[in-house]
Amino acid sequence: MQRAAALVRRGCGPRTPSSWGRSQSSAAAEASAVLKVRPERSRRERILTLESMNPQVKAVEYAVRGPIVLKAGEIELELQRGIKKPFTEVIRANIGDAQAMGQQPITFLRQVMALCTYPNLLDSPSFPEDAKKRARRILQACGGNSLGSYSASQGVNCIREDVAAYITRRDGGVPADPDNIYLTTGASDGISTILKILVSGGGKSRTGQVQSRKCIEDVIHFAWEEKLFLLADEVYQDNVYSPDCRFHSFKKVLYEMGPEYSSNVELASFHSTSKGYMGECGYRGGYMEVINLHPEIKGQLVKLLSVRLCPPVSGQAAMDIVVNPPVAGEESFEQFSREKESVLGNLAKKAKLTEDLFNQVPGIHCNPLQGAMYAFPRIFIPAKAVEAAQAHQMAPDMFYCMKLLEETGICVVPGSGFGQREGTYHFRMTILPPVEKLKTVLQKVKDFHINFLEKYA
């Protein structure tokens, strides 16, 4: 091809239209002749194939965004093309995306983010002074006083200080060191980073998820005896609805169990802007606190984090507002408190509504929804439906959820994606839709389930 290009270039220069046409035609003919002399080459095989790729990646499964969600996307496209369905929309109840479900943002958080993103607004009388104060503090800690600059790999220093102060307040004075705080791209980024260090290729990395203080103590004691590294996903620490329950941080319980545990058990805990009352999933803000980490491993962790340069600085700023909200006496405190309590109060009502309505359906049992944003009801699946699922090479609850999606437009996640007990079937759905829409969703699930039982009886 270089030869052909050279031949064409020789034809350049001032020519009459007729001579240019002849020269161009001659050059093209000569180039074609050159190419014919070369032996034809077969197409090179792909370097990256399913056989050559990392088998660990191929083995990854993520039920929340798995086949059921791909099918939901296909159905949405069909609806857009005018294909008739027994429903008019797909309701994505598979994931805890609060604002996608209609939850309104917290005003103060968005005010500070607006000021940080466009500092010219700092002169505007439309913004409260406490929001301006926080925005200025964040911007002064950023390179060039701009969210558009990189931060340190571990995160903006003043934000890590605010996170440490928040943890200390939350845990009743148990100290937190900013040097043990790592700002992350959502909680999932921190979890995956720790897992990269933990997983050596043999055996399994172990995590525990529990609610009561007694369970937390048991897990910590087990980790201490078995020499396990603890990971505590605490993104729902604000989402506790049952009056008989309260949030206990793993770190606080660890310290209250005494120095034998608090000085030895390695713990990484995680929080995020995505859940709680904030629902700011898109900002991808989060942090992790790691304690009792070996100094050499800490160096390796910082090295690993430095490869991705830094988490989004806008997400870091959003995390700062979560851990450093308005306090009594500040201009925005009353509105902030009112909005926060409204979100959490509505979630509590919807949790109770979901539990009550599911338990009225034959063949569905739902435990009390004490917190978080999901219901995880157990469903009875008849033997004929199990056989039908096997014929389609699906887990029975995947078969159930796929039928639910195709017949009602409701997208939920099969329990088989969460490691449920053998012989039991569940699905997980979010309780985030507005109350009236949630009632509609629950009624549709009820009608579908009754018809499903009759069809496969």
Side-chain angles (χ1 to χ4, degrees):
M1 293 302 292
Q2 289 175 337
R3 167 73 172 160
L7 290 170
V8 171
R9 281 198 298 272
R10 285 187 197 136
C12 295
R15 300 180 187 274
T16 63
S18 58
S19 64
W20 167 250
R22 288 194 302 273
S23 181
Q24 185 181 38
S25 175
S26 174
E30 187 175 349
S32 177
V34 169
L35 290 174
K36 286 180 180 178
V37 172
R38 292 182 177 175
E40 290 189 11
R41 297 179 181 177
S42 60
R43 181 168 178 164
R44 192 187 75 174
E45 294 182 358
R46 301 290 189 199
I47 300 299
L48 185 59
T49 65
L50 284 175
E51 289 71 33
S52 65
M53 72 175 287
N54 182 347
Q56 301 295 336
V57 174
K58 192 160 53 174
V60 167
E61 293 183 8
Y62 186 40
V64 175
R65 292 181 180 266
I68 197 83
V69 179
L70 296 177
K71 182 65 175 179
E74 293 174 8
I75 292 174
E76 284 178 327
L77 290 175
E78 290 173 353
L79 287 170
Q80 291 170 14
R81 293 200 298 267
I83 297 175
K84 296 298 181 183
K85 303 283 182 183
F87 48 86
T88 58
E89 66 172 331
V90 171
I91 299 175
R92 291 178 175 261
N94 60 300
I95 195 166
D97 193 349
Q99 293 184 26
M101 288 289 183
Q103 180 177 309
Q104 294 302 301
I106 298 296
T107 301
F108 184 78
L109 190 148
R110 286 300 181 90
Q111 286 174 332
V112 178
M113 292 306 300
L115 292 164
C116 287
T117 304
Y118 190 60
N120 287 1
L121 294 174
L122 287 165
D123 296 326
S124 170
S126 300
F127 291 81
E129 285 304 316
D130 49 356
K132 292 180 179 179
K133 177 182 177 182
R134 281 162 177 76
R136 289 190 183 100
R137 183 169 187 268
I138 293 169
L139 290 172
Q140 287 168 3
C142 295
N145 294 332
S146 172
L147 289 189
S149 61
Y150 287 127
S151 75
S153 298
Q154 202 167 335
V156 175
N157 287 338
C158 78
I159 299 177
R160 291 193 293 116
E161 291 169 359
D162 288 346
V163 171
Y166 161 80
I167 294 173
T168 301
R169 290 194 307 272
R170 182 199 68 186
D171 291 345
V174 176
D177 184 348
D179 198 41
N180 291 334
I181 305 297
Y182 302 81
L183 301 181
T184 58
T185 309
S188 56
D189 172 50
I191 294 169
S192 63
T193 300
I194 290 295
L195 287 176
K196 285 176 185 176
I197 295 177
L198 282 174
V199 177
S200 60
K204 297 180 179 179
S205 177
R206 298 164 176 85
T207 63
Q209 61 176 44
V210 291
Q211 294 181 350
S212 73
R213 181 188 175 88
K214 177 64 168 60
C215 284
I216 293 175
E217 290 175 348
D218 290 344
V219 169
I220 290 173
H221 180 70
F222 181 75
W224 179 78
E225 281 192 328
E226 299 295 325
K227 298 182 179 179
L228 300 178
F229 193 113
L230 279 178
L231 281 75
D233 185 354
E234 298 177 337
V235 300
Y236 296 108
Q237 57 190 262
D238 291 300
N239 301 97
V240 180
Y241 315 128
S242 172
D244 301 325
C245 297
R246 60 184 293 260
F247 169 74
H248 301 277
S249 79
F250 262 79
K251 182 185 176 185
K252 183 178 182 183
V253 175
L254 179 65
Y255 271 75
E256 290 175 348
M257 289 175 69
E260 186 176 17
Y261 294 95
S262 62
S263 299
N264 293 295
V265 175
E266 294 148 281
L267 169 68
S269 55
F270 310 89
H271 196 15
S272 167
T273 64
S274 301
K275 310 302 178 186
Y277 58 89
M278 305 78 67
E280 294 285 4
C281 301
Y283 276 117
R284 307 306 301 128
Y287 74 72
M288 66 176 173
E289 180 187 26
V290 185
I291 61 173
N292 293 325
L293 201 63
H294 190 288
E296 292 179 358
I297 294 298
K298 192 170 186 177
Q300 295 297 316
L301 174 59
V302 172
K303 179 183 72 174
L304 187 60
L305 292 173
S306 67
V307 172
R308 56 101 158 109
L309 297 178
C310 70
V313 180
S314 57
Q316 295 184 50
M319 192 74 247
D320 186 75
I321 302 156
V322 173
V323 299
N324 187 23
V327 296
E330 289 189 307
E331 184 178 351
S332 301
F333 177 72
E334 288 188 10
Q335 181 182 11
F336 172 82
S337 300
R338 187 169 60 250
E339 292 177 352
K340 175 181 176 180
E341 292 309 314
S342 175
V343 170
L344 295 176
N346 281 333
L347 284 170
K349 291 177 184 176
K350 290 187 282 190
K352 182 60 175 169
L353 171 69
T354 303
E355 175 195 341
D356 290 345
L357 291 184
F358 270 147
N359 284 329
Q360 295 173 12
V361 184
I364 295 182
H365 174 72
C366 185
N367 287 332
L369 277 65
Q370 298 174 334
M373 299 175 172
Y374 312 95
F376 196 70
R378 181 172 177 175
I379 51 176
F380 171 72
I381 298 183
K384 286 186 178 180
V386 174
E387 293 172 4
Q390 292 170 344
H392 286 83
Q393 297 184 326
M394 288 185 185
D397 48 10
M398 171 63 85
F399 179 76
Y400 178 97
C401 292
M402 199 64 79
K403 290 294 183 184
L404 176 66
L405 173 63
E406 292 169 349
E407 295 180 22
T408 70
I410 298 170
C411 181
V412 299
V413 189
S416 50
F418 297 92
Q420 63 193 352
R421 183 177 296 173
E422 186 71 26
T424 66
Y425 307 112
H426 303 76
F427 66 81
R428 192 191 81 164
M429 64 164 281
T430 182
I431 61 170
L432 287 171
V435 171
E436 292 307 312
K437 192 166 193 175
L438 180 61
K439 288 179 180 178
T440 301
V441 169
L442 295 171
Q443 183 62 48
K444 284 187 174 184
V445 173
K446 175 184 178 180
D447 295 341
F448 166 83
H449 187 79
I450 291 172
N451 292 334
F452 185 86
L453 293 182
E454 291 175 353
K455 180 177 180 179
Y456 293 99

